[in-house]
Amino acid sequence: MKAVVFHAVGDIRLEDVPEPTLQAPTDAIVRLTGSAICGTDLHFVRGTFTGFDEGQILGHEGVGVVESVGSDVKNIKVGQRVVIPSTVGCGECKFCRRELYAQCDRANPGGKLAGSVFYGGPVATGNLPGLQAEKARVLYADVNLVPIPDGITDDQAVIVSDILTTAWFGTELAEVEEGDDVLIFGCGPVGQLAIASAKLKGARVIAVDRLTERLQAAKRQGADTINFDEEKVVDAVLRLTDGDGAAKVIDLVGIDAQHPQQGPGVPGKDEAAAIAQVRKSATPDAIRSGDHWVAGDNPAQVLEWAVECAAKVGTIAIVGVYPPTISSYPIGTAINKNLTIRMGICNHRRYVQVIFDHILAGRLDPTKIVTQDEPIADIIEAYEAFDHRRKGWLKVEVQPQG
């Protein structure tokens, strides 16, 4: 079958690989009818999050049709149309019983303390082959496959498998409530969905990015916007919140953050030297220059802005991806403001039905952010366009079956 295969930082290929097989009685094999490219995939290709085995299949967003099931699978049937939540849980351990699937005690072969397992990730996250392929093996199928209701399309469901549930999770971590000033860093696909989720909860949203097209999309959703290449972020947030700062802050950017490239926020000489040191230690294997896969130039940028922009006694939710190599955080400022800081990888399975209900009721429509629908044969070119943030490219869905 065809799949997107990781070979090295900056080197991914579409190749023929063996089809997956049932390896445990709780497994299922799904023939994928839809997948997608995520910003997290770019962290891996750019080398800002490492630890991959050569030959790993990328991708953690998927929908499809169940092709076969193991002897212990009771609730999922061959022929069902299903969504595959990105993180994997066993459904039985003490964390899964609390719907904290991303911290399952059993899914990661590294043991209880190893942490989250998701498709298409590095060795530390379970090394489970990904979903940018024609077929996939799903562990604990009764837990990690969710039948798609009538009235929801594959195009909608594939967004639910990761980025819409992640966006919703961000608003849950931040404890967004009606009337809150919510500051969202990043107006890419997850950012647009987080804006929609926060607005659905009755919040006022301020969105930060530097790409005009993405900021315009945020404005169309009713968000106030800040272009960090045109004004200083902290000054702009204070201006928009009567000097208070934002009660709730959501970081959806992560390790590939960029500092201002022009305007009043451009780092001075001393600040640039400090940024270079953080960058060297946090992303030692990242690609620094070239035509493709160039890493962000300030890994701690949003971590710093979030603390500076948060209101006293505010809450920060960190949902953007940060690798274990980053150790810089403005903890002193955070303590002085009595901030609550919450973070983590989304427990996707927990929110799938909640999101399905919102879609069926017409309150959320994830397909609004989909700008491309590409055959798997063109996926490497699609990766490059998405990496370049090419105009008109916001969210790329992939058709695995030709």
Side-chain angles (χ1 to χ4, degrees):
M1 69 174 185
K2 297 290 185 184
V4 179
V5 178
F6 178 93
H7 282 269
V9 171
D11 182 4
I12 57 173
R13 309 172 198 173
L14 181 65
E15 296 182 336
D16 288 309
V17 300
E19 292 190 2
T21 59
L22 298 172
Q23 298 179 32
T26 51
D27 286 352
I29 303 299
V30 175
R31 176 175 56 81
L32 288 150
T33 56
S35 185
I37 301 173
C38 181
T40 301
D41 299 322
L42 294 181
H43 297 320
F44 304 147
V45 184
R46 290 169 179 163
T48 47
F49 197 124
T50 56
F52 270 76
D53 277 348
E54 182 177 2
Q56 171 67 312
I57 297 172
L58 291 178
H60 53 269
E61 299 172 275
V63 295
V65 176
V66 178
E67 192 168 82
S68 60
V69 298
S71 58
D72 288 351
V73 176
K74 307 302 182 187
N75 300 322
I76 297 297
K77 308 300 181 184
V78 171
Q80 278 186 306
R81 196 167 58 103
V82 292
V83 63
I84 308 172
S86 296
T87 43
V88 178
C90 71
E92 297 177 353
C93 72
K94 61 185 178 184
F95 292 105
C96 287
R97 289 197 299 271
R98 295 163 57 197
E99 297 187 297
L100 303 175
Y101 302 102
Q103 295 301 321
C104 176
D105 268 348
R106 296 173 60 190
N108 198 317
K112 284 189 174 184
L113 301 182
S116 301
V117 170
F118 58 89
Y119 299 94
V123 173
T125 62
N127 211 32
L128 188 62
L131 306 181
Q132 289 168 5
E134 293 182 82
K135 296 182 181 182
R137 170 185 170 235
V138 175
L139 284 67
Y140 306 110
D142 278 334
V143 179
N144 299 302
L145 291 176
V146 185
I148 301 172
D150 292 339
I152 291 182
T153 67
D154 282 9
D155 286 342
Q156 292 173 319
V158 73
I159 305 300
V160 177
S161 70
D162 175 30
I163 63 170
L164 181 46
T165 41
T166 295
W168 189 266
F169 174 65
T171 65
E172 293 280 291
L173 278 186
E175 299 179 322
V176 171
E177 297 178 339
E178 186 172 359
D180 281 339
D181 283 332
V182 179
L183 177 61
I184 293 176
F185 284 100
C187 293
V190 187
Q192 299 297 333
L193 295 170
I195 292 169
S197 299
K199 298 289 285 185
L200 182 58
K201 293 184 176 186
R204 179 244 184 146
V205 176
I206 303 168
V208 181
D209 208 296
R210 61 184 288 266
L211 298 180
T212 301
E213 188 175 31
R214 295 185 176 190
L215 290 167
Q216 289 172 342
K219 283 183 179 179
R220 289 194 293 271
Q221 293 202 72
D224 292 307
T225 60
I226 298 170
N227 185 329
F228 65 80
D229 272 350
E230 295 180 357
E231 53 186 333
K232 290 187 175 181
V233 170
V234 179
D235 292 348
V237 170
L238 293 176
R239 171 175 53 80
L240 291 167
T241 58
D242 295 325
D244 292 334
K248 310 294 170 64
V249 182
I250 305 175
D251 170 5
L252 297 168
V253 179
I255 192 68
D256 271 305
Q258 295 179 315
H259 63 64
Q261 307 300 301
Q262 58 188 18
V266 171
K269 183 177 180 180
D270 290 344
E271 186 181 1
I275 289 170
Q277 284 298 112
V278 172
R279 189 181 186 195
K280 182 178 180 180
S281 62
T283 58
D285 300 320
I287 297 173
R288 306 291 189 210
S289 61
D291 294 331
H292 301 295
W293 324 123
V294 178
D297 54 22
N298 188 0
Q301 180 67 88
V302 178
L303 298 176
E304 295 165 358
W305 275 341
V307 171
E308 292 170 351
C309 292
K312 292 183 293 185
V313 200
T315 301
I316 296 174
I318 304 173
V319 185
V321 174
Y322 290 94
T325 48
I326 191 162
S327 57
S328 175
Y329 195 79
I331 193 69
T333 305
I335 289 175
N336 194 47
K337 296 173 83 170
N338 279 45
L339 300 182
T340 296
I341 303 165
R342 306 178 73 196
M343 67 196 79
I345 296 174
C346 180
N347 304 295
H348 297 88
R349 178 64 180 84
R350 178 175 186 165
Y351 301 108
V352 169
Q353 191 57 55
V354 172
I355 301 301
F356 278 165
D357 290 344
H358 283 305
I359 293 172
L360 289 169
R363 293 184 290 265
L364 289 172
D365 181 6
T367 58
K368 287 183 177 180
I369 68 160
V370 177
T371 52
Q372 273 74 34
D373 194 350
E374 301 291 321
I376 196 168
D378 297 336
I379 193 169
I380 303 303
E381 291 81 3
Y383 254 101
E384 293 173 353
F386 186 53
D387 171 62
H388 282 171
R389 303 175 181 88
R390 184 182 297 170
K391 187 175 182 180
W393 289 66
L394 181 61
K395 181 62 177 177
V396 184
E397 290 191 1
V398 178
Q399 299 301 320
Q401 304 299 322

